[in-house]
Amino acid sequence: MTGRVLVTAGASGVGRAMAEAFDRAGYDVWVSDIDPAALAAVPGHWHAHHADVSDETQMRALFDAIRAADGLDVLCANAGIAGPTDAIEDIDLNAWRTCVSVNLDGAFLAAKHATPLMKVAGSGSFILTSSTAGQHGYPFRAPYAAAKWAVIGLMKTLAMELGPHGIRVNAICPGAVEGPRMEGVLTREAAAKGMTRDQVYRGYASGTAMGRFVEAHDIANMAVFLASDAARLVSGQVIAVDGFTVNPDPKL
Ligand code: NAD
């Protein structure tokens, strides 16, 4: 066994691809999520737990179970929600708070409860999922972009704070990922802008040098690399897996 990994929001989407990649790399895989059906559908040899990343009681229970199983080597603090697509003056405070809570409080709580387990071991790797929105901004997605910038601030700080304990901390910034979540974003944005879904898709894709969306396994491969000894001196880094965003705001 290479080690033990926890992937939050690991039952579907990018998190599930990460969990599958760590499984293939020989890790003991733990996933947490809030979707019971998705949790029930993960491979039987994974440890699947219901835990909302923004709820400290649930996160504490999750980490108690991991502690009882003898610790943690890799944390993928991956959970995040898209939040509202709206002009800033139309964003409801509760929608703002929910978005920031899942994207930022979720990373904070995962890091908070993983840290004691890794300090005991004197080693570990945190991989926080931010977004290209956390590097460039994202018009009409203010709470999401603000939270993803804050995830990078959290990552930089923890990399400094935990380096002396042998713990590395990095952030991955995915670009637009093929899949159901991005389909929802495309549909909402098309409606807001009076465009078709395909026009919005082409706008996103044309904002990257590679001219395309990324796939979940592209993110997962980077996570496995960052967790590995091959990256033993890589910490405090923001790594975009986005096909190189050359225009973060293509005027669609
Ligand atoms: P997704 O919407 O497909 O959701 C994946 C899982 O998250 C689901 O199983 C869902 O049940 C779970 N989840 C939602 N809220 C949760 C909570 N409070 N606690 C625990 N689990 C919860 O998301 P995704 O596309 O796989 O995105 C994963 C990460 O990648 C997120 O942080 C997201 O912001 C980031 N990201 C995604 C994209 C993209 O285009 N999909 C782009 C950039 C960054």
Side-chain angles (χ1 to χ4, degrees), residues 54-205:
S54 62
D55 181 319
E56 185 155 27
T57 304
Q58 294 182 29
M59 290 299 278
R60 189 174 280 117
L62 168 65
F63 279 94
D64 283 348
I66 295 172
R67 182 178 297 104
D70 208 19
L72 186 66
D73 301 287
V74 181
L75 166 70
C76 295
N78 167 70
I81 55 171
T85 301
D86 263 320
I88 186 69
E89 63 269 34
D90 295 327
I91 294 175
D92 175 71
L93 178 58
N94 285 330
W96 168 280
R97 284 185 174 145
T98 302
C99 182
V100 171
S101 174
V102 175
N103 285 289
L104 180 58
D105 299 8
F108 155 65
L109 288 173
K112 172 181 171 177
H113 290 282
T115 292
L117 301 180
M118 292 191 186
K119 277 188 176 174
V120 166
S123 64
S125 171
F126 288 1
I127 296 150
L128 311 185
T129 305
S130 177
S131 167
T132 49
Q135 298 183 291
H136 306 291
Y138 197 162
F140 304 100
R141 295 278 298 281
Y144 182 75
K148 292 303 193 183
W149 276 80
V151 165
I152 290 175
L154 177 67
M155 178 279 291
K156 292 274 182 192
T157 298
L158 295 183
M160 296 166 81
E161 185 174 325
L162 300 178
H165 298 277
I167 302 168
R168 298 183 296 105
V169 189
N170 292 288
I172 298 178
C173 291
V177 182
E178 297 278 4
R181 171 190 161 119
M182 215 41 222
E183 283 304 321
V185 170
L186 293 173
T187 307
R188 285 197 300 278
E189 207 162 310
K193 293 179 174 167
M195 301 169 68
T196 67
R197 174 260 177 221
D198 289 353
Q199 285 171 320
V200 181
Y201 180 97
R202 280 196 297 277
Y204 271 93

